[in-house]
Amino acid sequence: MEYAKSEKEYITKYQKLGYTRNYSTKNNNLIDLASKKQYAPEEVVIENEIRFEGMSNPSDMSILYIIETKDGNKGTVLANYSPSSATEIAEFFNAIPKENNKTQENV
């Protein structure tokens, strides 16, 4: 496994590989922040996920999702999983079908 110092380093790495879209979630849909196009969980494939622990508090965790949508758009979603974080992003990614999660192939 390759290690980077920060989420930003990984985002930059994947942007160079063509994962240039930025996404968020709302009402159990993934939203392309530039085009405002919405995707249901079954329309998204998780290519990779990278977990980060907080430097000052290890219980503060974030996950960088590397994704591709059904229409071929590629990008990233950075989700904060600290105790005080919102659960909407987690709920969306938990709703993605297992067969759409390539990180599960080697488990």
Side-chain angles (χ1 to χ4, degrees):
M1 173 181 220
E2 181 181 341
Y3 292 94
K5 293 180 182 177
S6 70
E7 293 96 329
K8 185 176 178 180
E9 286 180 24
Y10 272 107
I11 291 169
T12 300
K13 171 188 170 180
Y14 279 97
Q15 285 176 335
K16 289 177 181 176
L17 295 172
Y19 293 84
T20 56
R21 302 281 186 150
N22 295 302
Y23 299 95
S24 186
T25 58
K26 186 173 184 180
N27 299 326
N28 205 36
N29 284 304
L30 185 75
I31 300 174
D32 183 315
L33 295 178
S35 71
K36 306 301 182 211
K37 187 166 184 177
Q38 296 186 26
Y39 302 92
E42 57 275 3
E43 298 175 313
V44 176
V45 173
I46 301 171
E47 298 287 334
N48 197 7
E49 62 182 56
I50 302 142
R51 297 174 186 265
F52 303 90
E53 286 187 3
M55 292 183 74
S56 61
N57 184 352
S59 68
D60 288 340
M61 186 174 79
S62 61
I63 299 177
L64 178 63
Y65 291 100
I66 313 303
I67 61 168
E68 183 172 353
T69 61
K70 68 169 182 146
D71 54 2
N73 290 322
K74 296 178 179 182
T76 59
V77 178
L78 184 60
N80 181 3
Y81 284 101
S82 69
S84 63
S85 67
T87 60
E88 188 170 4
I89 291 176
E91 290 172 0
F92 177 84
F93 279 93
N94 285 333
I96 292 175
K98 284 190 175 206
E99 60 269 15
N100 288 10
N101 188 340
K102 293 187 177 181
T103 64
Q104 301 296 315
E105 291 176 355
N106 297 322
V107 177

